[in-house]
Amino acid sequence: EMHLVESGGGLVQPGGSLRLSCAASGFDFSDYLMVWVRRAPGKGLEWVSQITPAGSVTTYADSVKGRFTVSRDNAKNTLYLQMNSLKPEDTAIYYCSPWTGNYDHRGQGTQVTVSS
């Protein structure tokens, strides 16, 4: 059974940084494209970023391009999201998921709040 645990969220001022982690277990992590998605208050899931299984190709939503960096450590079965220059509109619960055609295997999420 796929199991994902996100961590690293918190309260940060605009312009600040956070690094999210996602610990994966129960599947061959290195075989999967991994995705970060988020849910802002009152909104649906929004795709944020993804990274190919070997980590060679990364893709970002326009709203975070140039500010967020996704990476992975396949030896540690861990996915990361470095978030810089955070904005209030980045406030959301952030989830990681292997891409299986949907985001159904995402974890419980980690809350990121950007506020002064």
Side-chain angles (χ1 to χ4, degrees), residues 98-112:
W99 177 245
T100 59
N102 54 54
Y103 307 127
D104 290 354
H105 297 287
R106 65 187 183 276
Q108 85 290 343
T110 187
Q111 175 71 50
V112 172

Side-chain angles (χ1 to χ4, degrees), residues 78-93:
T78 303
L79 179 73
Y80 303 99
L81 187 67
Q82 177 67 44
M83 306 187 297
N84 299 329
S85 302
L86 283 161
K87 304 176 180 180
E89 51 264 42
D90 295 318
T91 294
I93 300 173

Side-chain angles (χ1 to χ4, degrees), residues 54-93:
S56 56
V57 179
T58 57
T59 316
Y60 301 92
D62 286 345
S63 58
V64 307
K65 197 173 296 181
R67 301 187 298 119
F68 290 11
T69 303
V70 60
S71 61
R72 65 193 296 163
D73 185 338
N74 286 343
K76 295 182 178 180
N77 288 351
T78 303
L79 179 73
Y80 303 99
L81 187 67
Q82 177 67 44
M83 306 187 297
N84 299 329
S85 302
L86 283 161
K87 304 176 180 180
E89 51 264 42
D90 295 318
T91 294
I93 300 173

Side-chain angles (χ1 to χ4, degrees), residues 1-19:
E1 179 182 353
M2 292 180 166
H3 189 55
L4 290 304
V5 179
E6 302 91 343
S7 62
L11 174 64
V12 63
Q13 293 187 340
S17 298
L18 284 173
R19 189 192 195 204

